[in-house]
């Protein structure tokens, strides 16, 4: 028994120095860690940082340093880019890191093959040390620094870390992939702190670069830059040889004692400073303090290679200035798992031998995007050009895949397209060419996904039942058929409910979810105008399509059947001078109408604004997008329409007919001719009086008033009105008795 106690005491005493060593960040010679064997990592004295094998997947590990007290264990350094020995940082179970007196840190895979090591200058190491700043240091027997991780950064800087001339930050391949990425940040000898890209496979440096210009760094022979410093107060600055500094980031009031800080070159090329509260109980997230560039989609243009998104992709910026990438319609990701990768056309866009003898119009057509640009990849510029000429130029050119029309100029482009981005200041149209015989459909919405889910579930059900009842083919067939039919009917019902049935589908309207429209309008933030029954907001959906979203007031929310009927009728109305209904939302109390966006404003702003059109302009055959004031309902219940445009019979107990639309049209036509509002306050003789345009017009006895007769039977049909405007039918004088 005594010997047993003695053994326990010996074991305790032997292990005590090692335990104490770990408590103060020291790691002794011959200390080692093995991936996947359950060993604890080496911890700094404060417990803030850890060094060891961070598990990525079941059998994948990363030799790294990470924030130890943060639940997500954010990596700040890893054995990868500091030397070219290890190109893929992912290690398998059984890999081993050891502190060696003659070679420093040595990393071997499970077969004993050397994967990575510290510099060869290390020859008399006495210990390793992980300090409270996150810096892993090798000391000699004389206690001098032989090697430190701060001198060989990967993609992150920590407070008290410096980036000297010639040292770089290198982004990872993607968020979960720690392999070498495309973006680099370097302090140059001329004092410029720059971002640039490389072709990773052959290590070729591209000429494109982004200078963090806000720093004011300039080449100054008398006072050259020395290094970039991320100091203890979490401020990034450039230190010059005379100890003057130039700030790069923002002065930070959140101290390093209360918050963790890091500056990371993200995989998408955005250099960002983050902070995280030390006192968090685990429910906090990294918060962005600042980032550069402000808009990488616009400010970083790669002449060779690409910027944040892959070839043929479109870059958009989110709320924290990070880019998102989307393939345009007719294109899909080469690698479905890499949303920042390249997009490829789903079908061929070039001419084929079989096309000979057919016109280009019969073979090709275009998908149209607004305010989108690929600023390089031009094959031809045409100026001046009309929109039609631009389309035809690309349509009849076998090498042209995309045409961009802007400011009376046309740019024909060939694939691949690079540096794609959304830019609402462009006022441009993009024509994406596709072959009609293989026309790609629009991106699948929720209804299509539900349908696919139904098919998937049916197959799963089918497989399960086959396994359970494999002894009887007949029973299998019956049960499988019944099961699939049931799933089909259920999902068909779901799809019908979401899309409003076959009627809505027939008019090609999209059924939006309320969440989609809330996101598109940024929480219904930018108001465009107000109508009789709702407010119209500006919205943008993926790929840059701008919409006008009308959020109906509660007083305008009919029963579901009435709402769907009106949507169906309006959706069938198509005319170049009328705003087109694109879709709708019908979710409980949330009922919204989605229209195309009128980029040049409403007819009202054109007619009643400060710069009203002249009579000669009004006579021109121009296309004017008219606001929606016409009523599409046929009912005796409830007044429909906008105040001032509503026909008198709505206020009487009489039958409502198509003539109510004729009255509304007459009011709009009269407003167009006079450039006056139908209902307005005006000052007459020093007093404010209410002004009704139709009453004033009757006094002036204008022929156009035949459309706005109070007696519906006296009004012409809409067809006759159209013929009058075209000069086909003579304009007759309105009946005085009919109006009065």
């Amino acid at each position: 028994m005594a010997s047993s106690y003695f053994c326990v005491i010996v074991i305790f005493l032997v292990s005590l120095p090692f335990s104490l060593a770990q408590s103060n960040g020291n790691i002794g010679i011959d200390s080692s860690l093995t991936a996947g064997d359950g060993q604890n990592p080496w911890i700094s004295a404060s417990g803030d940082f850890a060094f060891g094998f961070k598990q990525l997947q079941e059998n994948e590990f990363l030799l790294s340093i990470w924030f130890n007290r943060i639940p997500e264990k954010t990596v700040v350094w890893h054995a990868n880019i500091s030397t070219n020995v290890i190109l893929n940082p992912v290690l398998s179970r059984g890999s081993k890191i050891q502190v060696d007196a003659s070679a420093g840190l040595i990393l071997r895979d499970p077969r004993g093959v050397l994967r990575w090591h510290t510099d060869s200058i290390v020859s008399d190491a006495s210990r390793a040390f992980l300090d409270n700043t996150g810096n892993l240091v090798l000391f000699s027997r004389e206690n001098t620094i032989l090697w430190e991780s701060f001198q060989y950064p990967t993609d992150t800087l920590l407070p008290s870390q410096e980036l000297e001339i010639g040292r770089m930050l290198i982004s990872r391949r993607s968020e979960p992939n720690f392999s070498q990425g495309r973006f680099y940040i370097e302090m140059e000898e001329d004092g410029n702190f720059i971002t640039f890209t490389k072709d990773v496979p052959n290590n070729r440096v591209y000429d494109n670069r982004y200078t963090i210009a806000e720093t004011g760094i300039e080449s100054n022979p008398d006072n050259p830059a020395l290094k970039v410093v991320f100091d203890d107060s979490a401020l990034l600055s450039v230190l010059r040889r005379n100890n003057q500094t130039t700030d790069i980031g923002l002065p930070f009031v959140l101290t390093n004692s209360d918050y963790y800080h890091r500056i990371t070159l993200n995989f998408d090329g955005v250099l960002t400073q983050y902070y995280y509260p030390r006192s968090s109980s685990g429910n906090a997230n990294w918060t962005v303090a600042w980032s550069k560039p402000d808009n990488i989609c616009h400010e970083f243009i790669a002449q060779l290679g690409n910027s944040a998104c892959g070839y043929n992709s479109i870059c958009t910026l989110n709320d924290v200035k990070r880019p998102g990438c989307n393939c345009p319609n007719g294109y899909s990701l080469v690698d479905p798992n890499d949303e920042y990768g390249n997009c490829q056309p789903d079908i061929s866009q070039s001419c084929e031998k079989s096309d000979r003898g057919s016109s280009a119009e019969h073979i090709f057509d275009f998908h149209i995007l607004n305010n989108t640009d690929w600023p390089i990849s031009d094959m031809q510029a045409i100026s001046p050009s009309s929109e039609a000429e631009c389309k035809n130029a690309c349509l009849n050119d076998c090498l042209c895949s995309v045409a961009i029309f802007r400011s009376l100029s046309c740019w024909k482009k060939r694939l691949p397209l690079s540096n794609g981005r959304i830019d609402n200041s462009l006022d441009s149209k993009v024509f994406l060419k596709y072959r009609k015989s293989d026309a790609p459909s629009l991106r699948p919405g929720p209804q299509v996904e539900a349908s696919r889910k139904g098919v998937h579930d049916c197959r799963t059900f089918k497989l399960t039942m086959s396994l359970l009842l494999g002894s009887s083919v007949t029973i299998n067939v019956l049960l499988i058929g019944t099961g699939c039919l049931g799933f089909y009917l259920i999902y068909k019902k779901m799809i019908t409910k979401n899309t409003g049935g076959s009627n809505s589908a027939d008019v090609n309207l999209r059924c939006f979810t309320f969440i989609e429209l809330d996101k598109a309008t940024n929480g219904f933030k930018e108001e465009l105008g107000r109508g009789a029954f709702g407010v119209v907001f500006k919205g943008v959906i993926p790929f840059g399509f701008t919409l006008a979203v009308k959020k109906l007031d509660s007083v305008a929310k009919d029963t579901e059947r009435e709402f769907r009927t009106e949507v169906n009728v309006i959706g069938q109305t198509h005319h170049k001078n009328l705003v087109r209904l694109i879709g709708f939302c019908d979710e409980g109390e949330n009922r919204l109408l989605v229209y195309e966006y009128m980029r040049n404003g409403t007819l009202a702003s054109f007619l009643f604004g400060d710069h009203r059109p002249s009579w000669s302009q009004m006579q021109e055959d121009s296309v004017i997008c008219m606001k929606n004031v016409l009523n599409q309902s046929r009912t005796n219940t409830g007044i429909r329409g906008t105040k001032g445009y509503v026909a008198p019979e709505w206020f009487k107990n009489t039958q409502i007919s198509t003539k109510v639309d004729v009255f509304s049209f007459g009011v709009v036509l009269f407003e167009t001719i006079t450039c006056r509002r139908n209902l307005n306050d005006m000052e007459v003789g020093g007093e404010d009086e209410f002004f009704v345009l139709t009453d004033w017009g009757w006094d002036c006895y204008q022929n156009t008033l035949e459309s706005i007769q109070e007696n519906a039977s006296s009004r012409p049909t809409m067809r006759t009105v159209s013929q009058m405007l075209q000069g086909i039918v003579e304009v007759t004088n309105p009946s005085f008795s009919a109006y009065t």
Side-chain angles (χ1 to χ4, degrees):
M1 181 69 69
S3 61
S4 298
Y5 284 121
F6 178 75
C7 290
V8 171
I9 293 172
V10 169
I11 292 172
F12 174 76
L13 291 175
V14 169
S15 62
L16 183 60
F18 180 76
S19 301
L20 292 176
Q22 291 309 292
S23 67
N24 61 16
N26 282 307
I27 304 116
I29 293 297
D30 295 331
S31 297
S32 65
L33 291 173
T34 302
D37 69 350
Q39 288 178 284
N40 291 325
W42 295 331
I43 308 295
S44 64
S46 64
D48 289 338
F49 294 95
F51 171 75
F53 291 98
K54 185 177 188 295
Q55 188 166 359
L56 304 177
Q57 300 293 337
E58 182 178 357
N59 194 38
E60 295 182 355
F61 298 84
L62 183 73
L63 181 63
S64 56
I65 300 172
W66 62 85
F67 281 101
N68 188 49
R69 297 185 185 275
I70 295 177
E72 61 186 86
K73 309 295 185 187
T74 305
V75 172
V76 297
W77 178 91
H78 58 92
N80 181 9
I81 314 166
S82 56
T83 71
N84 288 325
V85 176
I86 179 171
L87 296 178
N88 185 353
V90 175
L91 303 161
S92 57
R93 189 181 300 273
S95 299
K96 184 177 180 180
I97 183 72
Q98 184 174 6
V99 183
D100 185 84
S102 60
L105 293 170
I106 299 177
L107 173 65
R108 298 184 185 274
D109 66 17
R111 298 174 298 171
V113 177
L114 180 67
R115 293 291 305 278
W116 174 86
H117 64 89
T118 51
D119 292 350
S120 58
I121 59 173
V122 176
S123 59
D124 60 344
S126 63
R127 63 188 173 96
F129 178 69
L130 181 60
D131 69 21
N132 291 333
T133 65
N135 187 19
L136 180 63
V137 186
L138 272 176
F139 286 100
S140 69
R141 297 183 189 278
E142 290 76 28
N143 213 35
T144 58
I145 295 177
L146 299 174
W147 178 93
E148 56 182 322
S149 60
F150 269 17
Q151 287 295 311
Y152 300 89
T154 49
D155 61 356
T156 297
L157 292 176
L158 295 172
S160 76
Q161 189 169 0
E162 300 173 349
L163 192 68
E164 297 179 350
I165 292 176
R167 300 293 187 186
M168 301 179 186
L169 295 182
I170 305 178
S171 69
R172 63 182 73 166
R173 184 74 55 84
S174 65
E175 195 68 47
N177 187 342
F178 287 84
S179 299
Q180 182 176 337
R182 296 186 292 115
F183 290 93
Y184 295 71
I185 281 187
E186 180 181 25
M187 181 69 184
E188 293 185 311
E189 292 185 1
D190 62 3
N192 288 321
F193 192 52
I194 66 165
T195 303
F196 61 95
T197 59
K198 274 189 180 183
D199 182 4
V200 175
N202 60 33
N203 213 34
R204 177 186 177 184
V205 177
Y206 289 131
D207 293 333
N208 61 293
R209 50 189 281 164
Y210 170 80
T211 301
I212 305 178
E214 288 76 10
T215 62
I217 302 172
E218 299 176 353
S219 180
N220 187 344
D222 299 325
N223 187 20
L226 183 64
K227 54 188 172 183
V228 174
V229 178
F230 189 26
D231 64 25
D232 291 334
S233 62
L235 176 65
L236 187 68
S237 59
V238 172
L239 176 66
R240 300 183 182 276
R241 295 191 185 278
N242 64 354
N243 289 327
Q244 290 181 346
T245 59
T246 303
D247 294 344
I248 296 177
L250 302 174
F252 220 76
V253 296
L254 302 177
T255 63
N256 197 32
S257 59
D258 295 325
Y259 290 84
Y260 295 115
H261 293 271
R262 63 181 172 95
I263 293 177
T264 298
L265 176 58
N266 296 298
F267 72 92
D268 50 30
V270 180
L271 182 69
T272 307
Q273 180 170 346
Y274 300 91
Y275 61 92
Y276 189 103
R278 290 176 180 264
S279 59
S280 170
S281 58
N283 57 355
N285 294 302
W286 286 103
T287 303
V288 174
W290 59 264
S291 63
K292 301 290 181 182
D294 291 329
N295 188 337
I296 195 169
C297 297
H298 290 209
E299 297 177 56
F300 191 98
I301 302 299
Q303 298 298 325
L304 292 175
N306 224 317
S307 55
C309 300
Y311 290 109
N312 304 324
S313 185
I314 301 173
C315 180
T316 55
L317 213 64
N318 64 18
D319 294 338
V320 291
K321 300 182 180 180
R322 296 286 297 279
C325 305
N326 292 289
C327 295
N329 197 37
Y331 291 71
S332 57
L333 288 168
V334 175
D335 179 0
N337 297 318
D338 183 10
E339 64 177 293
Y340 293 85
N342 300 327
C343 301
Q344 61 185 353
D346 297 330
I347 46 93
S348 171
Q349 300 170 326
S350 59
C351 302
E352 299 175 359
K353 290 183 179 180
S354 58
D355 298 335
R356 294 175 181 173
S358 300
S359 64
E361 290 81 359
H362 288 92
I363 302 171
F364 298 106
D365 205 346
F366 295 99
H367 290 297
I368 300 177
L369 300 179
N370 292 319
N371 298 329
T372 304
D373 192 22
W374 286 275
I376 55 180
S377 309
D378 296 337
M379 58 179 284
Q380 185 182 3
I382 305 173
S383 183
S385 172
S386 67
E387 182 177 319
E389 290 170 339
C390 186
K391 290 176 64 175
N392 288 331
C394 186
L395 189 69
N396 294 285
D397 188 337
C398 291
L399 298 179
C400 179
S401 296
V402 174
I404 297 180
F405 177 74
R406 182 177 74 248
S407 303
L408 299 180
S409 296
C410 177
W411 289 267
K412 292 163 58 179
K413 298 175 181 287
R414 60 164 63 95
L415 301 182
L417 306 169
S418 62
N419 302 281
R421 73 249 182 117
I422 299 292
D423 188 346
N424 291 324
S425 67
L426 292 177
D427 192 22
S428 64
K429 274 192 176 181
V430 176
F431 303 102
L432 296 168
K433 194 175 182 180
Y434 69 88
R435 183 175 290 272
K436 287 184 177 180
S437 59
D438 298 310
S441 60
L442 291 173
R443 298 289 177 210
Q447 299 81 18
V448 178
E449 292 300 329
S451 177
R452 288 179 177 174
K453 186 175 185 294
V455 174
H456 173 74
D457 288 348
C458 183
R459 289 172 179 168
T460 304
F461 176 82
K462 190 175 183 180
L463 177 60
T464 304
M465 296 303 293
S466 296
L467 292 174
L468 292 174
L469 303 172
S471 59
S472 173
V473 175
T474 303
I475 294 177
N476 280 349
V477 171
L478 290 174
L479 289 177
I480 291 168
T482 304
C484 286
L485 178 61
F487 274 106
Y488 170 77
L489 293 175
I490 291 172
Y491 278 100
K492 182 178 180 182
K493 184 177 180 180
M494 291 172 61
I495 295 168
T496 302
K497 183 178 180 181
N498 288 335
T499 59
S502 59
N503 288 339
S504 295
D506 290 342
V507 296
N508 198 28
L509 296 179
R510 176 175 173 181
C511 179
F512 290 89
T513 66
F514 182 77
I515 293 177
E516 285 178 316
L517 296 181
D518 182 72
K519 182 178 180 181
T521 58
N522 194 19
F524 300 97
K525 188 174 183 180
E526 184 176 350
E527 182 178 323
L528 296 176
R530 292 176 177 264
F533 297 125
V535 183
V536 183
F537 300 90
K538 184 177 181 179
V540 179
I541 58 176
F543 311 116
F545 293 109
T546 305
L547 307 172
V549 181
K550 185 172 186 178
K551 193 175 184 181
L552 299 180
D553 294 334
S554 58
V555 296
K557 293 173 181 175
D558 306 314
T559 65
E560 181 176 354
R561 184 173 180 179
E562 289 176 325
F563 176 77
R564 296 291 178 123
T565 300
E566 292 200 18
V567 166
N568 185 48
V569 173
I570 298 173
Q572 296 181 59
T573 305
H574 298 285
H575 190 274
K576 67 178 181 178
N577 292 353
L578 291 178
V579 179
R580 185 167 63 92
L581 182 68
I582 296 174
F584 65 96
C585 172
D586 185 12
E587 293 184 2
E589 292 297 316
N590 297 313
R591 287 180 180 158
L592 303 95
L593 299 174
V594 182
Y595 292 93
E596 63 180 328
Y597 176 67
M598 295 181 291
R599 189 165 309 282
N600 295 323
T602 63
L603 177 62
S605 63
F606 180 69
L607 296 176
F608 312 135
D610 295 333
H611 304 287
R612 297 181 178 181
S614 63
W615 179 248
S616 60
Q617 287 177 297
M618 299 299 297
Q619 289 179 299
E620 292 177 4
D621 185 19
S622 59
V623 176
I624 302 176
C625 291
M626 302 177 69
K627 57 185 178 179
N628 178 26
V629 297
L630 301 185
N631 165 52
Q632 298 293 342
S633 301
R634 302 290 177 266
T635 176
N636 282 321
T637 61
I639 297 176
R640 312 295 178 129
T642 303
K643 183 180 179 181
Y645 303 91
V646 178
E649 52 263 40
W650 278 110
F651 303 96
K652 302 175 183 179
N653 189 23
T654 57
Q655 178 67 31
I656 303 302
S657 69
T658 58
K659 296 294 184 71
V660 296
D661 285 349
V662 178
F663 183 94
S664 299
F665 178 80
V667 175
V668 175
L669 180 61
F670 199 29
E671 284 184 322
T672 303
I673 294 172
T674 61
C675 292
R676 292 175 178 265
R677 294 184 183 275
N678 180 38
L679 300 177
N680 202 354
D681 293 329
M682 64 179 297
E683 187 175 312
V684 179
E687 298 182 358
D688 291 338
E689 296 184 4
F690 192 66
F691 175 80
V692 180
L693 182 63
T694 52
D695 292 343
W696 174 80
W698 181 253
D699 295 335
C700 297
Y701 202 74
Q702 296 293 325
N703 287 339
T704 53
L705 266 293
E706 184 163 355
S707 295
I708 53 172
Q709 293 287 343
E710 286 199 7
N711 187 340
S713 62
S714 298
R715 295 177 209 141
T717 64
M718 211 51 228
R719 178 182 179 85
T720 303
V721 171
S722 178
Q723 291 173 335
M724 287 179 178
L725 293 174
Q726 297 176 55
I728 299 175
V729 174
E730 182 181 357
V731 179
T732 59
N733 291 331
S735 169
F736 180 81
S737 60
Y739 187 74
T740 57

